[in-house]
Amino acid sequence: MNISKYIWAAAALVLSMSSCSSDGYWEEYQESGTKFAFEQKTLNVATVKSTNTYTLNVVRSDSKGSVSLPISVVKVLDLTFSNRGEAVNNVTLSTNTLTFEDGQNVASVDVTINCLGGHKYQAQVGFAADDKSIAGSNTCTMTFVTEHTWVSLGKGIFFDGFVNEDIDAEVEILQAEGFQRYRVVKPYDQLVADDPWYSGETPEYFEFFEEEDEDGNTVLNWNTVMTGLNYQGVSGQPIMCVSPADEDESLKDCFWAEEGHAVLSPIYNIPKVGTFGQVKYAVQILLPSYLAED
């Protein structure tokens, strides 16, 4: 429990306001009745699983007697494809009534999300404005991004001609449900296993995805990964398969050659050592759907 949060939240509830009277004296403002406020007005959550539960705390201005406070989900917006958001209904509360027991000035509600993977959401939970303290907030706005839901497409091909020009590795390929985003599972294992520069460590997956460039053209980008090779076999000198975007370079040579056939032009770097530069069309990825057409 973060005690300092409760101290500050409680202090905000009892914060007095002053005004100058006609006699030149300061008059202390007193709120009438019990008032409430969320411990946090906003809550920005990192990428989370599409089903998850969070706890929000509400504090009251005193701890006398047992008091109930109605609470609800005000709105939920899916902001994935529009800044204005699309109203959805996939956030629920553990209770619609908070109960503060005698002697307690904090009550909690669990917020459960059951959302689509890979989406950005904004959810607002609140209670009546008339019950709000002067210095507090009667709403808490949560913003969060859910993890993608990955679905296996079957077996495809991964080729990296810079690393090994002799092997077309047969690999499993996953797609993020609802997105043009893909993962090649264990892409370099077969390519580097017998190489004398093999580092002993390869990436779990190679993730690539569609983007639009500044001219509105569809290009392909990816998350930079290690290839599984150390330069000259020296530990601590990994050869990286770098996206040009990470070097502020154009992605114009990274595209779909045909539907289901991805062509990438990585920059191969050794951090703090040097670079081999960009190698056009070195990486080729064939989706299962492309192979099925052959």
Side-chain angles (χ1 to χ4, degrees):
M1 178 183 294
N2 192 327
I3 300 298
S4 62
K5 287 185 178 180
Y6 292 124
I7 292 175
W8 283 109
L13 286 172
V14 299
L15 183 68
S16 61
M17 298 180 63
S18 302
S19 60
C20 186
S21 71
S22 57
D23 297 325
Y25 295 101
W26 292 99
E27 297 175 345
E28 187 177 281
Y29 174 82
Q30 297 289 340
E31 289 187 322
S32 59
T34 301
K35 297 297 181 182
F36 306 87
F38 277 95
E39 180 187 86
Q40 294 174 280
K41 184 176 181 180
T42 59
L43 179 63
N44 294 316
V45 185
T47 302
V48 298
K49 295 185 181 301
S50 56
T51 299
N52 219 321
T53 299
Y54 304 91
T55 299
L56 301 181
N57 295 317
V58 177
V59 295
R60 61 170 171 164
S61 55
D62 59 53
S63 56
K64 297 177 181 178
S66 179
V67 178
S68 296
L69 177 70
I71 191 170
S72 64
V73 177
V74 179
K75 63 180 177 180
V76 184
L77 297 177
D78 186 337
L79 303 174
T80 310
F81 304 111
S82 169
N83 290 330
R84 296 181 61 184
E86 176 186 355
V88 292
N89 183 24
N90 46 17
V91 175
T92 58
L93 303 181
S94 58
T95 179
N96 290 319
T97 303
L98 288 179
T99 299
F100 296 80
E101 300 294 348
D102 184 30
Q104 296 180 337
N105 71 332
V106 179
S108 302
V109 60
D110 288 335
V111 182
T112 298
I113 66 172
N114 188 11
C115 302
L116 295 174
H119 284 234
K120 180 180 180 180
Y121 293 94
Q122 188 176 85
Q124 189 176 81
V125 179
F127 55 83
D130 290 344
D131 293 319
K132 180 183 76 70
S133 68
I134 291 295
S137 175
N138 69 309
T139 61
C140 176
T141 301
M142 305 169 56
T143 302
F144 54 91
V145 177
T146 55
E147 294 177 351
H148 288 285
T149 300
W150 294 96
V151 178
S152 178
L153 299 179
K155 295 295 185 180
I157 297 294
F158 180 84
F159 173 81
D160 187 331
F162 177 83
V163 172
N164 189 328
E165 63 182 7
D166 297 322
I167 296 180
D168 294 339
E170 185 179 36
V171 292
E172 182 182 16
I173 297 183
L174 312 176
Q175 182 175 7
E177 197 169 52
F179 295 85
Q180 297 302 309
R181 192 177 192 98
Y182 304 87
R183 280 182 177 177
V184 180
V185 180
K186 297 186 179 300
Y188 285 101
D189 284 22
Q190 299 173 52
L191 275 60
V192 302
D194 298 324
D195 196 299
W197 287 8
Y198 178 39
S199 67
E201 183 180 6
T202 55
E204 285 297 312
Y205 54 82
F206 184 107
E207 186 170 332
F208 70 102
F209 43 90
E210 287 187 0
E211 285 187 357
E212 278 194 4
D213 65 14
E214 58 185 13
D215 297 320
N217 300 313
T218 297
V219 293
L220 296 177
N221 196 359
W222 68 95
N223 297 331
T224 291
V225 297
M226 65 178 71
T227 62
L229 298 180
N230 283 330
Y231 179 57
Q232 296 183 336
V234 178
S235 177
Q237 296 187 164
I239 299 176
M240 308 297 292
C241 178
V242 181
S243 165
D246 290 348
E247 301 288 336
D248 295 323
E249 299 290 340
S250 171
L251 290 167
K252 66 182 177 64
D253 292 319
C254 306
F255 50 84
W256 293 110
E258 297 178 79
E259 186 174 350
H261 179 188
V263 175
L264 308 177
S265 301
I267 298 170
Y268 293 92
N269 286 348
I270 308 98
K272 299 181 181 179
V273 176
T275 181
F276 292 99
Q278 186 174 28
V279 182
K280 285 189 176 182
Y281 319 136
V283 170
Q284 312 253 341
I285 302 168
L286 306 181
L287 301 185
S289 58
Y290 182 86
L291 296 176
E293 295 176 359
D294 291 345

